[in-house]
Amino acid sequence: MQDIHIFERLRKGETVPFNDPEYPHIRKACGDTRKLLVQLNNITDPAEIREILGKITNSQIDSGTGIFTPFHINYGKNTKLGKNVFINFGCTFLDLGGITLEDNVMLAPNVRLLSEGHPLPAEKRQALTVGHIHLKKNVWVGANATITQGVTIGENSVVAAGAVVTKDVPDNVVVGGIPAKIIKHITDSV
């Protein structure tokens, strides 16, 4: 496949300018995904939703995984979903940098996982930067939270509604705010 090289470059962390000769391959791949999203967002049967999501992600979706549409994803091939994942209404994934949701991850409505960004200097901003997002087992992300590129959320942790997570989160904590900070540690007695 001729467009693999640019996707490998992104996965390795290379910044890719919009005028890169291979950049049209990204636009085409994202366009192909949008065609599948139209189908996904117009059906209600959970098994059919998982089937189309499997086509988008090029993977088998666990029968315990549930997704409420509408759902938005720009590429899909760099998203990996574990078992018993739940994705609520209106979630958005920008996954050119990679997104991994381990088993039992739950996303509330309108969660945004944004593995992509742009360089800060204005003269370099017309380029794409990426960083893998990883939500470990049993993570719960509250409504309208945003997780940015390169962030890992530790096992059993909770991201409060409306939080913007820009740095890694350890296991067994609740984070909230903008930018998100630890608000409490989760213990068995909570």
Side-chain angles (χ1 to χ4, degrees):
M1 179 184 236
Q2 119 188 57
D3 60 351
I4 287 179
H5 189 251
I6 194 163
F7 296 106
E8 287 177 2
R9 290 168 50 206
L10 284 168
R11 277 194 301 272
K12 291 178 181 175
E14 184 178 329
T15 297
V16 177
F18 294 161
N19 63 359
D20 186 289
E22 291 187 322
Y23 203 89
H25 295 295
I26 292 174
R27 288 191 186 99
K28 179 181 181 327
C30 292
D32 292 344
T33 297
R34 282 192 301 275
K35 291 174 188 171
L36 289 169
L37 274 177
V38 170
Q39 294 174 41
L40 179 92
N41 287 323
N42 283 295
I43 57 176
T44 57
D45 179 70
E48 288 181 54
I49 289 171
R50 282 190 300 275
E51 179 183 337
I52 294 174
L53 185 58
K55 290 178 184 176
I56 290 170
T57 62
N58 198 30
S59 64
Q60 182 73 34
I61 304 299
D62 179 69
S63 63
T65 290
I67 179 169
F68 287 175
T69 57
F71 175 66
H72 309 282
I73 191 167
N74 65 334
Y75 177 55
K77 304 299 184 263
N78 290 342
T79 292
K80 305 298 176 229
L81 303 177
K83 296 178 182 175
N84 299 313
V85 169
F86 177 69
I87 301 170
N88 213 322
F89 299 102
C91 290
T92 300
F93 289 20
L94 298 183
D95 78 324
L96 285 168
I99 295 173
T100 300
L101 306 183
E102 290 187 9
D103 297 348
N104 304 312
V105 167
M106 298 186 306
L107 304 182
N110 300 312
V111 167
R112 292 165 300 278
L113 303 180
L114 311 176
S115 75
E116 304 162 24
H118 308 282
L120 288 178
E123 65 278 1
K124 295 181 180 180
R125 201 167 294 154
Q126 297 297 307
L128 184 63
T129 62
V130 298
H132 188 262
I133 293 173
H134 189 158
L135 278 56
K136 294 191 175 180
K137 291 179 183 175
N138 305 312
V139 165
W140 172 23
V141 182
N144 296 304
T146 300
I147 299 173
T148 61
Q149 65 183 21
V151 169
T152 296
I153 308 293
E155 281 191 31
N156 308 314
S157 288
V158 176
V159 175
V164 177
V165 184
T166 60
K167 294 185 176 14
D168 290 351
V169 173
D171 296 348
N172 301 304
V173 297
V174 177
V175 297
I178 301 172
K181 294 183 179 10
I182 296 173
I183 16 184
K184 82 187 305 185
H185 291 270
I186 301 171
T187 63
D188 290 338
S189 62
V190 174

